[in-house]
Amino acid sequence: MRKLTLLSLLILLASATSKAEEGMSLEGVTQETAYFLSSSIPEKTLVPLLKSAQMKQIPVYFNGLIDNSMEKTARYLLNLIKKYQVSGIQIDPLRFDYYGITQVPALVKRCGKTFDIVYGSVALEEGLTQISRHGVCGDE
């Protein structure tokens, strides 16, 4: 069963990579809230961030593969999913490029052609509050 699950995750990762290589566009996206994280964040810090995003139904994006290995990445994600019951993690380097994300954690809220970014390990709710109070997309 584990091999089947790992194989399924590898297929999902391959599919995400193919879409990225085809130039999946964000041009049709006008409203978006997204959380940018990384496998480089220590697990004890990462898991609460993932759970918080999951509770708020905010998608989480990682930039790429661990050591350029689909298998390592799939094993890492499978471990997170099984051990902590988290979901919603996607690999999307195009989103990182589009928003100019160079450090994580980063919370993005997009409204039309503009967007706000909050960097750092602040609670997700606090980041959303900061955008609401001080951001261009605060009233969206």
Side-chain angles (χ1 to χ4, degrees):
M1 180 66 177
R2 187 166 190 266
K3 286 186 179 182
L4 179 60
T5 307
L6 181 59
L7 179 61
S8 298
L9 194 52
L10 281 170
I11 290 169
L12 176 65
L13 289 174
S15 174
T17 302
S18 296
K19 288 179 184 174
E21 289 169 355
E22 291 169 8
M24 188 174 71
S25 175
L26 291 170
E27 293 304 316
V29 176
T30 58
Q31 303 290 322
E32 176 176 45
T33 302
Y35 210 18
F36 295 83
L37 300 173
S38 170
S39 60
S40 66
I41 297 172
E43 200 170 292
K44 68 179 185 176
T45 303
L46 180 64
V47 171
L49 299 175
L50 289 169
K51 287 190 176 265
S52 179
Q54 184 175 332
M55 284 178 35
K56 295 214 169 280
Q57 298 179 342
I58 295 174
V60 172
Y61 296 102
F62 281 31
N63 195 17
L65 303 176
I66 297 169
D67 296 332
N68 286 324
S69 168
M70 262 200 218
E71 184 176 351
K72 280 184 180 181
T73 305
R75 286 186 193 282
Y76 175 79
L77 293 177
L78 185 61
N79 176 59
L80 288 176
I81 291 165
K82 283 186 166 188
K83 189 173 178 181
Y84 301 106
Q85 293 80 46
V86 294
S87 62
I89 305 168
Q90 301 173 50
I91 297 172
D92 192 343
L94 294 177
R95 269 191 168 73
F96 273 78
D97 288 345
Y98 184 85
Y99 293 116
I101 305 296
T102 57
Q103 61 186 15
V104 293
L107 175 64
V108 170
K109 184 168 183 185
R110 180 176 177 180
C111 53
K113 294 185 179 192
T114 62
F115 54 89
D116 297 308
I117 303 175
V118 175
Y119 289 104
S121 291
V122 299
L124 190 58
E125 189 64 42
E126 178 61 25
L128 292 169
T129 299
Q130 290 301 319
I131 290 172
S132 177
R133 289 184 183 160
H134 307 290
V136 176
C137 297
D139 296 330
E140 301 295 320

